[in-house]
Amino acid sequence: MSRWKPDARGRLEQAALELYRERGFDQATVTEIAERAGLTERTFFRYFADKREVLFWGQSHLLELYVNTIANAPASASPIEMVAAALEAAVPIFEERHELAQQRQAVIDAHRGLQERELLKRNALAAAMANALRQRGVSDTIARLAAEIGVIAFTTAYARWVSAPSEQDLSRLIRESLDQIKAITAGA
Amino acid sequence: MSRWKPDARGRLEQAALELYRERGFDQATVTEIAERAGLTERTFFRYFADKREVLFWGQSHLLELYVNTIANAPASASPIEMVAAALEAAVPIFEERHELAQQRQAVIDAHRGLQERELLKRNALAAAMANALRQRGVSDTIARLAAEIGVIAFTTAYARWVSAPSEQDLSRLIRESLDQIKAITAGA
DNA sequence: CGAGTGATGTCAGTCCATGACATCACTATA
DNA sequence: TATAGTGATGTCATGGACTGACATCACTCG
């Protein structure tokens, strides 16, 4: 038997989600989370920068997927098509975890501070995609705007997908959002 | 002479901006801010929910302006035109305070936590505009997307306007961003 | 003139977050 | 196989953000 139980990070993530659901984010202390995971408060803060981050750490590899997809998109694609391809590529990751996504989102929706963090993560995704677009030769402003538009389309679609009682096709919802954005701007 | 010096809130705002600029957000304690304003820490927290909010409280009346502008837009206007009109209406408020905007933005750009708060405020603006659009009969999804697009256009334009050494026409920058968004989506 | 009222102060307490240092199973290598 | 790391974790101390409960006291109003 090894010295420590494996997957400390995963145990902390699970304990945190449980406690945030049971008593709400503010009522759950870091000490409690750590205890439930069989660790100490200090160790919690070695894995996660703060009490909120524990709900978002898993997103870090999404960013990589988005960036790689844009980097490998066909040269013929327009900026918004590259972004759409990236969003599409990540769909399976979400569809495998619909229930977890619902639980997690309910916790976030109940707390301003968590919504803040979610927006920051979204912003980071947009910035990373913009950067990837720039490396494909897209001008700075167009890259930023295309990435932001993509994030909006995804966010809108994701919100509907998460809150839907029966599971819908996330890809289709994303495409619908992009089409609607196109219609809105064209109509001006 | 009245019992207290007037404008406690304003004094706190100014003291906070000064200290955040002098030593950075993390190094400035609330106690110091309150002392510089001739008050106590406890009073700071009566005016502002937390240490970040002091930089954003002033935006609260912007929201009102956006909402009113959309409420009074001509019935013939499209959703995105209503949003553009709202953004346009707020331009003078910013143009009167270019230097303050620069100082404030420098502080925010230097601190993740403040960027988070800024995103939350932006999100609140988008939500308020979406709501105003809904009351003008726009469907829920279109209202949300149009408001978000408007916020992106504004954010992009504002970033350029703030960082520009010589003062540019913010209205023009906003219109340019909207045009670029239109081009990006149309090209898909 | 006395009873509020409201902005501010005082005090005690909780929890988040971090730095410094200790522990000790495991590993590598001489 | 002895020994010197190594790294994940624990322990301890501390500071600072935030909150609730209660005190103060110039001002106002009847």
Side-chain angles (χ1 to χ4, degrees):
Chain A
M1 196 176 85
S2 70
R3 184 168 185 191
W4 293 289
K5 285 194 285 181
D7 194 20
R9 166 167 264 133
R11 273 150 52 213
L12 287 167
E13 283 180 340
Q14 178 162 3
L17 180 58
E18 284 173 18
L19 275 165
Y20 294 166
R21 297 220 303 147
E22 287 171 20
R23 7 193 138 147
F25 182 82
D26 283 332
Q27 275 60 52
T29 71
V30 175
T31 302
E32 285 172 324
I33 296 168
E35 271 170 10
R36 183 172 291 202
L39 295 163
T40 63
E41 185 196 25
R42 192 67 185 84
T43 297
F44 178 96
F45 285 113
R46 286 202 178 94
Y47 282 103
F48 306 103
D50 60 48
K51 198 184 163 188
R52 303 171 191 176
E53 197 66 15
V54 66
L55 283 178
F56 298 92
W57 188 87
Q59 293 195 356
S60 54
H61 75 292
L62 262 187
L63 198 144
E64 212 180 327
L65 178 57
Y66 286 137
V67 168
N68 288 340
T69 306
I70 290 176
N72 297 324
S76 61
S78 68
I80 194 69
E81 281 169 349
M82 292 188 188
V83 171
L87 300 179
E88 189 72 36
V91 161
I93 295 179
F94 294 100
E95 291 193 331
E96 281 169 16
R97 301 170 170 78
H98 190 253
E99 193 182 340
L100 176 65
Q102 282 186 326
Q103 295 178 350
R104 190 176 151 282
Q105 201 60 40
V107 171
I108 293 170
D109 289 346
H111 196 273
R112 237 180 75 113
L114 292 171
Q115 290 158 34
E116 260 186 350
R117 181 57 50 84
E118 186 177 41
L119 291 168
L120 188 68
K121 295 296 179 185
R122 238 179 246 164
N123 198 244
L125 283 183
M129 286 199 285
N131 202 46
L133 287 173
R134 251 175 254 122
Q135 298 196 338
R136 296 298 307 264
V138 178
S139 80
D140 182 77
T141 307
I142 301 297
R144 266 197 278 198
L145 290 173
E148 293 279 4
I149 291 167
V151 168
I152 286 180
F154 177 80
T155 300
T156 307
Y158 182 76
R160 285 200 275 167
W161 177 77
V162 166
S163 66
S166 69
E167 200 156 335
Q168 296 185 45
D169 181 351
L170 180 55
S171 295
R172 196 174 54 73
L173 291 172
I174 293 173
R175 268 179 269 114
E176 278 179 16
S177 290
L178 282 170
D179 285 344
Q180 281 171 319
I181 290 173
K182 184 174 177 177
I184 289 167
T185 54
Chain B
M1 198 176 83
S2 69
R3 185 168 184 189
W4 295 289
K5 285 195 285 182
D7 195 20
R9 166 168 264 133
R11 272 150 52 213
L12 287 167
E13 282 179 341
Q14 178 160 4
L17 180 59
E18 284 174 18
L19 276 165
Y20 294 166
R21 296 221 303 147
E22 287 170 21
R23 3 192 141 147
F25 182 82
D26 283 332
Q27 277 59 52
T29 70
V30 174
T31 303
E32 285 173 324
I33 295 168
E35 271 170 10
R36 184 171 292 201
L39 294 163
T40 63
E41 187 197 24
R42 193 66 185 84
T43 297
F44 178 96
F45 286 113
R46 287 200 178 95
Y47 283 102
F48 305 104
D50 59 47
K51 196 184 164 187
R52 303 172 191 175
E53 195 67 15
V54 65
L55 284 178
F56 298 92
W57 188 86
Q59 293 194 356
S60 54
H61 74 294
L62 262 187
L63 198 145
E64 212 180 327
L65 178 57
Y66 287 136
V67 169
N68 288 340
T69 305
I70 290 177
N72 299 323
S76 61
S78 69
I80 195 69
E81 281 169 348
M82 291 188 188
V83 170
L87 300 178
E88 187 73 36
V91 162
I93 294 178
F94 294 100
E95 291 193 330
E96 281 168 14
R97 301 169 169 78
H98 190 255
E99 194 183 340
L100 176 65
Q102 282 186 326
Q103 296 178 351
R104 191 176 151 281
Q105 201 60 41
V107 172
I108 293 170
D109 289 345
H111 196 273
R112 238 181 74 115
L114 292 171
Q115 291 158 33
E116 259 187 349
R117 181 56 50 85
E118 187 177 40
L119 291 168
L120 188 69
K121 294 296 178 183
R122 238 178 245 163
N123 198 243
L125 283 183
M129 285 200 286
N131 202 45
L133 287 174
R134 251 176 254 121
Q135 299 198 335
R136 296 298 307 265
V138 178
S139 81
D140 182 77
T141 306
I142 301 298
R144 266 198 280 197
L145 290 172
E148 294 279 6
I149 291 168
V151 167
I152 286 179
F154 177 80
T155 300
T156 308
Y158 183 75
R160 286 201 276 168
W161 178 76
V162 166
S163 67
S166 68
E167 200 156 338
Q168 295 185 45
D169 182 350
L170 181 55
S171 294
R172 195 175 54 73
L173 292 172
I174 293 173
R175 269 179 269 115
E176 277 179 15
S177 291
L178 282 170
D179 286 344
Q180 282 170 319
I181 290 173
K182 184 173 175 175
I184 289 168
T185 54

